[in-house]
Amino acid sequence: MEFLRPADWTEALAAKAAHPSAVPIAGGTDVMVEINFGLRRPDALIDLNRIVELREWEVGADTVRLGAAVPYSRIIDELPTELPGLALAAHTVGSPQIRNRGGVGGNLGAASPAGDSHPPLLAAGAEVEVASVRGTRRIPVEEFYTGVKRNALAPDELIRCVHIKRADGPQQFSKVGTRNAMVIAVCAFGLALHPATRTVGTGLGSVAPTPVRAGAAERFLEQALDEAGLWDSGGVVPPAVAGKFADLVVAAANPIDDVRGTAGYRRHALAVLARRTLDWVWDEYRGKEWGRACA
Amino acid sequence: MDILRTPTDLAQRGHGGVGESASRPDGVLKVTGEFAYASDLWARDMLWGHTLRSPHAHAEIVSVDTTEALSVPGVHAVLTHADLPAATHYGLEIPDQPVLAGDVVRYHGEPVALVAADHPETARRAAARIRVEYAELPLVTDESTATAPGAPVLHPNRSDHYADRVPHPNVVHHQPVRRGDLAAAKARAEVVVTGEYELGMQDQAPLGPESGLAVPAEDGGVDLYVATQWLHVDREQLAPVLGLPRELVRLTLSGVGGAFGAREDLSMQAHACLLALRTGRPVKMVYSRDESFVGHVHRHPARLRYEHGATRDGRLVYVRGRIVLDGGAYASSSPAVVGNAASLGLGPYVCDTVDIEALALYTNNPPCGAMRGFGAVQACFAYESQMDRLAAELGMDPVSLRQLNAMSQGATMPTGQPVDAPAPVAELLRLVRDRPLPPPRQWETAVGTGTGFDLRALPGGLSNTTRGEGVVRGVGYAVGIKNVGFSEGYDDYSTARVRLEVVNGEPVVLVHTAMAEVGQGGVTVQAQIARTELGVAKVVLHPADTRVGSAGSTSASRQTYMTGGAVRNTCLLVREEVLRLGRERLGDTHPGWRGDGLWLRDGAVVTAGGEVLADLAQVLGDDVIDLEREFRHRPTEPLDPENGQGFGHVQYSFCAHRAVVEVDAELGLVKVVELAAAQDVGRAMNPQAVVGQIHGGSVQGLGLAVMEEIVVADGARVRNPSFTDYLIPTILDTPTMPVDVLELADEHAPYGLRGIGEAPTLSSTPAVVAAIRAATGLALRRVPVRPEHLTGT
Ligand SMILES: Cc1cc2nc3c(=O)[nH]c(=O)nc-3n(C[C@H](O)[C@H](O)[C@H](O)COP(=O)(O)OP(=O)(O)OC[C@H]3O[C@@H](n4cnc5c(N)ncnc54)[C@H](O)[C@@H]3O)c2cc1C
């Protein structure tokens, strides 16, 4: 097995162009497991750990530019205000050791439907910046997942960073697993309120072949909040609205039975998470008066 | 031959006699990562062995072609059934398991061929090039498919000693235990509750995978360095397979990363030795994690049906039970598991009329054998669930009902065996019940994440699923009974060699046994015993190997009793020899030498009153005292095949639990908040180690209650052979575990001690499930309890 160690981004792109079958390795928390289990025996690895910029982040006016290899532990410590949903999700990933190594670039590279970064990225709104010797492009995150553990990367491309919308309102992330830590999601749900645009974002994990948004649920909730004037009044979301929202979230799911849980349970639990997280974000919105017009 | 990372002497100069919390001699090495586990073994010129395993659970092997594999550069040998030099089958009790499958494979993952190559990756790739043609056969997966008319008989022509008394050839062993007049008792019963229960397949999940290094010797024999639970029984099985006399098969224990029963059966032992003898090179084998999950036996999954009859005031009148254990493809220790389940199937209660039968099946599921609790775990989940149902039916408090029926010293077991040592069952229940309950809604009070609540104290933990919504609390109790030592007439013994000499003026004791230290702390206790009995600070523990007599198995909660007993026994003989020499050499120097009750303390012979007579250096000079002796527990008897009567067990061990759980009833997630235990240990030889065992056993039982299960599906295949999907409790799943330790001496045992390792694993599971039932009102007849069971989805 060849082990390529590019010193910078240009070298990395050149290496990937020269060896399209080479597997990039960042934290290695997915790659090494696959190698250990014999699921994957690449003839070459491209080690991204010497590339400093992949471990850097930058907060802009509206977005955070998150380097592909910023580990989860730093997202939790350094970006909890800008990326609260992602920080919550990062907190649920594996164990401290895994959170110190793994990052969002690897989660996107693996593109597992159970990856915990995906729901908050979908809910917040994000673009994946990918590059090759041919040039750079930005892929909206919802278009990035193309199938079970498949993504939109071309063989010569690498993920450079993710541009994630800065939180302009409360965000939540909840995940169900059958143990209280270090567990792969049986289902997961991310929810973001965007008071500035009076929109809502959702992200569903482990309930379909790819991470998905629940578009109909988002539109329903936006409309219901609008019609009842709740964005302005800060009034309570009626249970019927929360219930319908949860139903529509579930309708966006297409879960299967597997060793981690049944499809029926996943639907049930997803509805519970949708209701609870809506409660939490709305409580926070009302409490913190996030950009409320007539406060 | 250079061999690196093999075991060395563990020396400790220190303190800590019997009853003190002496620290482990291997403790610092383990926490600093320096301890050499069997997977760290290395020898110059060694090859790596790899096992090709069956992808099918039941299939005929039509053909095997190894040509392509043999042509891979770096491959030194490929072995199949046809290459086996001598005995082709082995087994702990019944040699029914092929070393490599011959005409047929009987479970998913069964070894079919072996490769030795100069690199593990080469061995793996070559194994993938062995062409095996299979013709799949119909599966036997449970009692109905095993005993249906025309069911495939998995082991035709059985000749084992259970064969002619089993109801069906797919039943490994069947043991009834009958006592009293059932018809009369049924007529007297005023209340009857029946229930059916099921336990999934738990895995021992030791962190260290199966591994070892076989080194061919110049004398034609082989030296095997291996992580196992019983060196000598490995050797008994290996010698016939290798076609070698026993003396040429030498084993040394390597660092063992946990066992819990998983290392009682052979795994890679025979394979590595065969490859080493074939190639003339050292061969190392280390299972990967997924291989480990199919490469060792599991806990028997079980289906149980119980019927409890009682009077209105809560006295048990009769108990009927039927316990069906799935033994999987090979016998392993199924017969003994059956014996335990049947004889302990009533639980720690008094009842004159009992009709319990236990049986183990042959199926095409993964083989099941020893795991902590061994048959008693399955029964305990069912009988304790029944006691709760009975209490509910009677409108009684579940603890009071148990105390009313609790056995005590002088009681009679359903086997007719008198309980002739303390059995403080009611007291253990009282201890856990009388503890204050942990405060409610701890997530609100604990210092946490800065959000006003501590997620870690909530069901779902860090996954952030609730802030208290849907959360209900429940409290549950259970108590269990476990036997200690090998039962049913087995000649169970251990051997200890003790050597005393004076080196540079300092007396040194060497303790040499074949006891497998698998983490239980036996090495600590051996040193404590030697210090106490010989009054010497410096104790050196020789690596465990087959140059000394058998220590028996590190299982059945028996090593402190048995090898501890053997070390004590030999130490006392060494002491007698010291005193004899002292009287002979120095008897004239002091009248004290003629007195009774001389003993050894601080490197000197002292009188009963504590007066120093002489240093050991004066007594021994350059002489060395070196003795090796066997130690036996009192004999037991086989159980009668018809009614299970007999003096079957050596000793009993009791533990009670109270579980407090918080359940998110809407999501079906569970947080065990507190798991209090009370156990009678006879004598706490090392109080810290005792509590450690009780904690560990309790958590393993908790795991079975709420998460641990090998999923066997899709053609009897193991579906979750990894720690990604075989979940064991993390520290966030581990509750506060207050422990009460009673020390009521058993006069039959050395120091009055009781084996303690298994009892806490029994009652933990039903206590947790009882608490979940109390929180949710659900019946919950199966473990592990899944979110689906709690949410009806
Ligand atoms: C014990 C354990 C627990 C875990 N728990 C969780 C969990 O709770 N939730 C969860 O979501 N995941 C979990 N994981 C999986 C893993 O930690 C995450 O997916 C993590 O985000 C991967 O990041 P990494 O940097 O380690 O990726 P790597 O393993 O280095 O790479 C993962 C994939 O991404 C590709 N890749 C990496 N960087 C790039 C890049 N810049 N451009 C293109 N491709 C790239 C790699 O080629 C590979 O295919 C766990 C893993 C382990 C071992």
Side-chain angles (χ1 to χ4, degrees):
Chain A
M1 186 188 295
E2 247 188 296
F3 194 62
L4 309 169
R5 304 209 63 202
D8 57 31
W9 186 240
T10 318
E11 269 188 49
L13 294 182
K16 187 65 173 141
H19 302 82
S21 66
V23 171
I25 176 165
T29 59
D30 277 317
V31 171
M32 291 313 297
V33 172
E34 290 183 353
I35 290 177
N36 253 335
F37 277 181
L39 298 176
R40 162 125 101 153
R41 298 280 157 163
D43 31 82
L45 289 178
I46 301 181
D47 176 17
L48 303 177
N49 285 285
R50 289 171 69 195
I51 306 168
V52 178
E53 68 153 283
L54 293 184
R55 289 199 305 278
E56 292 173 342
W57 53 260
E58 193 185 330
V59 177
D62 299 324
T63 57
V64 178
R65 182 190 181 284
L66 182 72
V70 176
Y72 292 115
S73 53
R74 284 184 50 211
I75 299 174
I76 298 167
D77 292 342
E78 298 166 21
L79 295 164
T81 323
E82 293 78 7
L83 306 174
L86 186 63
L88 274 171
H91 218 122
T92 75
V93 173
S95 57
Q97 296 91 325
I98 300 299
R99 294 194 286 271
N100 284 338
R101 294 287 307 170
V104 172
N107 216 225
L108 287 166
S112 157
D116 288 322
S117 330
H118 314 315
L121 293 181
L122 287 165
E127 287 182 344
V128 185
E129 183 180 324
V130 307
S132 70
V133 289
R134 297 174 291 118
T136 297
R137 59 182 179 130
R138 284 190 177 202
I139 308 170
V141 69
E142 42 276 78
E143 290 167 29
F144 188 77
Y145 314 109
T146 54
V148 180
K149 301 197 175 183
R150 288 211 322 269
N151 59 34
L153 286 176
D156 63 346
E157 282 178 324
L158 292 173
I159 302 167
R160 186 174 200 174
C161 62
V162 192
H163 302 271
I164 309 164
K165 293 246 174 64
R166 272 181 78 168
D168 57 336
Q171 300 187 350
Q172 273 298 335
F173 173 83
S174 277
K175 133 177 168 187
V176 168
T178 35
R179 132 171 116 180
N180 290 309
M182 258 276 277
V183 70
I184 296 195
V186 172
C187 68
F189 185 66
L191 179 60
L193 294 186
H194 306 296
T197 49
R198 302 207 161 177
T199 56
V200 172
T202 60
L204 284 56
S206 277
V207 289
T210 64
V212 290
R213 283 176 73 161
E218 293 172 7
R219 284 188 298 279
F220 162 77
L221 185 58
E222 288 162 2
Q223 209 176 342
L225 294 174
D226 250 351
E227 281 171 8
L230 296 178
W231 287 111
D232 295 324
S233 71
V236 177
V237 176
V241 169
K244 180 80 190 288
F245 171 68
D247 289 347
L248 288 169
V249 166
V250 173
N254 182 19
I256 54 163
D257 289 337
D258 65 16
V259 293
R260 293 174 197 149
T262 62
Y265 174 72
R266 287 186 157 102
R267 285 199 191 87
H268 166 83
L270 188 62
V272 176
L273 297 185
R275 276 198 309 272
R276 287 186 185 172
T277 51
L278 175 55
D279 249 16
W280 302 341
V281 291
W282 197 252
D283 269 1
E284 193 188 333
Y285 173 70
R286 299 166 65 209
K288 279 205 187 151
E289 327 235 322
W290 282 90
R292 233 197 297 157
C294 52
Chain B
M1 179 66 59
D2 285 333
I3 298 176
L4 290 185
R5 312 290 282 167
T6 71
T8 51
D9 286 350
L10 286 171
Q12 223 187 17
R13 179 184 290 101
H15 309 289
V18 167
E20 293 174 63
S21 289
S23 57
R24 299 183 63 109
D26 53 0
V28 172
L29 293 174
K30 283 181 173 169
V31 295
T32 54
E34 286 164 272
F35 185 81
Y37 287 96
S39 49
D40 299 320
L41 288 159
W42 184 90
R44 190 195 298 279
D45 289 336
M46 74 182 184
L47 301 174
W48 294 80
H50 185 87
T51 315
L52 178 72
R53 295 175 180 274
S54 167
H56 305 294
H58 196 198
E60 190 188 325
I61 297 183
V62 180
S63 65
V64 183
D65 181 357
T66 60
T67 330
E68 225 186 294
L70 276 165
S71 71
V72 173
V75 168
H76 289 252
V78 179
L79 301 183
T80 67
H81 188 87
D83 301 304
L84 297 176
T88 56
H89 288 68
Y90 69 95
L92 278 172
E93 185 184 350
I94 303 173
D96 63 351
Q97 188 153 0
V99 178
L100 292 169
D103 302 335
V104 62
V105 287
R106 295 184 183 82
Y107 74 98
H108 170 225
E110 180 162 356
V112 174
L114 303 169
V115 179
D118 50 18
H119 191 279
E121 190 59 23
T122 309
R124 195 189 67 84
R125 288 184 189 192
R129 298 199 184 179
I130 300 172
R131 303 263 166 263
V132 186
E133 195 188 328
Y134 295 97
E136 284 194 69
L137 295 167
L139 294 176
V140 170
T141 55
D142 56 15
E143 186 176 20
S144 60
T145 50
T147 59
V153 173
L154 296 184
H155 296 273
N157 315 318
R158 279 173 62 179
S159 60
D160 60 86
H161 57 281
Y162 303 104
D164 49 7
R165 23 179 180 107
V166 290
H168 187 283
N170 283 338
V171 172
V172 186
H173 175 43
H174 171 253
Q175 178 67 60
V177 171
R178 299 208 171 94
R179 195 166 175 79
D181 180 346
L182 186 62
K186 283 187 118 165
R188 269 189 294 129
E190 293 164 319
V191 176
V192 175
V193 294
T194 59
E196 291 187 19
Y197 305 94
E198 193 180 334
L199 295 95
M201 184 184 286
Q202 191 180 19
D203 193 77
Q204 302 86 346
L207 295 189
E210 290 70 11
S211 37
L213 174 71
V215 184
E218 277 175 9
D219 61 6
V222 64
D223 291 282
L224 177 65
Y225 300 82
V226 69
T228 183
Q229 286 179 244
W230 187 358
L231 293 164
H232 286 77
V233 87
D234 282 6
R235 180 166 74 167
E236 287 306 307
Q237 296 171 88
L238 285 170
V241 167
L242 304 177
L244 290 173
R246 207 188 277 162
E247 316 77 70
L248 292 187
V249 182
R250 293 165 292 251
L251 279 77
T252 303
L253 187 74
S254 285
V256 184
F260 312 105
R263 297 182 208 272
E264 273 194 39
D265 295 73
L266 294 184
S267 57
M268 46 57 65
Q269 286 91 327
H271 298 159
C273 291
L274 287 165
L275 289 171
L277 291 170
R278 168 65 77 102
T279 59
R281 298 265 292 266
V283 173
K284 174 170 173 171
M285 290 184 88
V286 181
Y287 286 0
S288 62
R289 179 59 57 195
D290 51 340
E291 186 174 22
S292 176
F293 272 105
V294 297
H296 61 245
V297 300
H298 314 284
R299 186 190 301 291
H300 290 71
R303 286 169 193 252
L304 309 93
R305 186 175 187 287
Y306 267 81
E307 180 179 318
H308 280 61
T311 57
R312 273 263 157 250
D313 59 4
R315 295 208 176 265
L316 289 175
V317 176
Y318 74 92
V319 174
R320 297 183 70 187
R322 184 160 191 280
I323 302 170
V324 179
L325 302 152
D326 183 351
Y330 297 105
S332 180
S333 44
S334 280
V337 171
V338 165
N340 273 8
S343 59
L344 305 171
L346 169 64
Y349 301 112
V350 177
C351 183
D352 294 336
T353 306
V354 174
D355 180 1
I356 291 175
E357 64 166 332
L359 59 90
L361 300 167
Y362 275 128
T363 68
N364 294 117
N365 291 324
C368 290
M371 180 172 173
R372 196 178 198 170
F374 205 85
V377 161
Q378 292 90 334
C380 186
F381 172 59
Y383 64 67
E384 285 300 89
S385 298
Q386 282 286 100
M387 292 305 276
D388 284 337
R389 285 172 61 86
L390 184 59
E393 189 70 29
L394 292 165
M396 270 181 87
D397 168 67
V399 174
S400 309
L401 175 70
R402 286 176 169 86
Q403 289 176 318
L404 182 68
N405 290 288
M407 69 160 57
S408 51
Q409 184 163 5
T412 303
M413 293 291 289
T415 55
Q417 181 171 11
V419 177
D420 56 3
V425 177
E427 174 66 3
L428 295 172
L429 285 160
R430 187 190 68 74
L431 285 166
V432 291
R433 186 199 52 203
D434 286 356
R435 279 189 173 279
L437 282 165
R441 300 180 77 82
Q442 289 190 74
W443 59 89
E444 286 174 348
T445 49
V447 188
T449 53
T451 46
F453 48 81
D454 186 348
L455 285 175
R456 293 169 303 179
L458 281 158
L462 290 182
S463 297
N464 189 39
T465 45
T466 178
R467 295 174 176 183
E469 299 98 319
V471 177
V472 277
R473 175 177 273 200
V475 179
Y477 294 88
V479 59
I481 176 171
K482 177 68 184 58
N483 60 321
V484 171
F486 278 28
S487 301
E488 298 186 51
Y490 193 88
D491 179 25
D492 191 12
Y493 70 95
S494 180
T495 316
R497 179 182 150 227
V498 175
R499 174 186 166 101
L500 173 64
E501 65 191 309
V502 176
V503 180
N504 299 328
E506 185 187 13
V508 179
V509 174
L510 177 92
V511 177
H512 184 187
T513 76
M515 179 203 71
E517 170 62 51
V518 303
Q520 82 276 23
V523 287
T524 324
V525 171
Q526 287 184 15
Q528 289 176 258
I529 291 172
R531 277 188 218 112
T532 293
E533 301 303 346
L534 296 175
V536 166
K538 180 161 184 189
V539 178
V540 177
L541 296 162
H542 190 285
D545 58 30
T546 49
R547 285 183 288 176
V548 66
S550 174
S553 180
T554 300
S555 63
S557 305
R558 68 182 277 292
Q559 282 297 22
T560 300
Y561 190 133
M562 295 305 296
T563 300
V567 170
R568 172 175 188 254
N569 185 48
T570 310
C571 282
L572 294 179
L573 295 171
V574 167
R575 182 168 83 189
E576 267 176 40
E577 183 61 12
V578 169
L579 298 180
R580 191 190 65 76
L581 285 174
R583 286 191 187 102
E584 185 179 294
R585 292 171 182 177
L586 305 164
D588 299 338
T589 60
H590 192 294
W593 282 106
R594 288 189 294 276
D596 285 336
L598 299 190
W599 52 301
L600 307 184
R601 192 190 66 197
D602 298 340
V605 180
V606 297
T607 64
E611 189 188 344
V612 174
L613 295 178
D615 283 348
L616 285 176
Q618 283 172 275
V619 177
L620 289 178
D622 291 334
D623 286 347
V624 174
I625 302 175
D626 193 333
L627 299 178
E628 177 179 331
R629 292 288 184 278
E630 287 176 1
F631 170 79
R632 284 177 163 71
H633 60 60
R634 56 179 172 163
T636 59
E637 299 166 0
L639 301 177
D640 180 275
E642 301 301 325
N643 59 23
Q645 299 299 295
F647 193 96
H649 294 306
V650 184
Q651 184 186 54
Y652 297 105
S653 175
F654 307 93
C655 183
H657 280 95
R658 180 187 71 192
V660 180
V661 306
E662 228 89 66
V663 182
D664 181 338
E666 244 187 314
L667 283 177
L669 301 178
V670 176
K671 166 89 185 170
V672 182
V673 176
E674 191 200 80
L675 189 54
Q679 184 166 341
D680 175 23
V681 307
R683 174 81 193 271
M685 300 292 286
N686 181 318
Q688 188 183 37
V690 162
V691 171
Q693 284 292 314
I694 296 173
H695 282 167
S698 300
V699 175
Q700 210 153 19
L702 181 160
L704 175 59
V706 295
M707 63 180 84
E708 294 192 34
E709 180 172 10
I710 296 270
V711 178
V712 180
D714 308 331
R717 292 181 176 89
V718 174
R719 276 351 222 162
N720 56 340
S722 79
F723 283 135
T724 310
D725 286 310
Y726 184 84
L727 300 183
I728 55 176
T730 68
I731 197 68
L732 276 186
D733 302 283
T734 304
T736 312
M737 293 186 286
V739 174
D740 279 304
V741 170
L742 289 186
E743 295 184 87
L744 308 181
D746 175 355
E747 63 181 27
H748 309 285
Y751 303 104
L753 75 84
R754 230 177 252 281
I756 57 152
E758 293 173 286
T761 317
L762 274 55
S763 42
S764 160
T765 308
V768 169
V769 176
I772 302 173
R773 289 188 190 113
T776 60
L778 297 167
L780 304 179
R781 296 167 188 282
R782 185 183 197 280
V783 286
V785 174
R786 295 192 48 90
E788 282 84 352
H789 303 147
L790 295 175
T791 53
T793 53

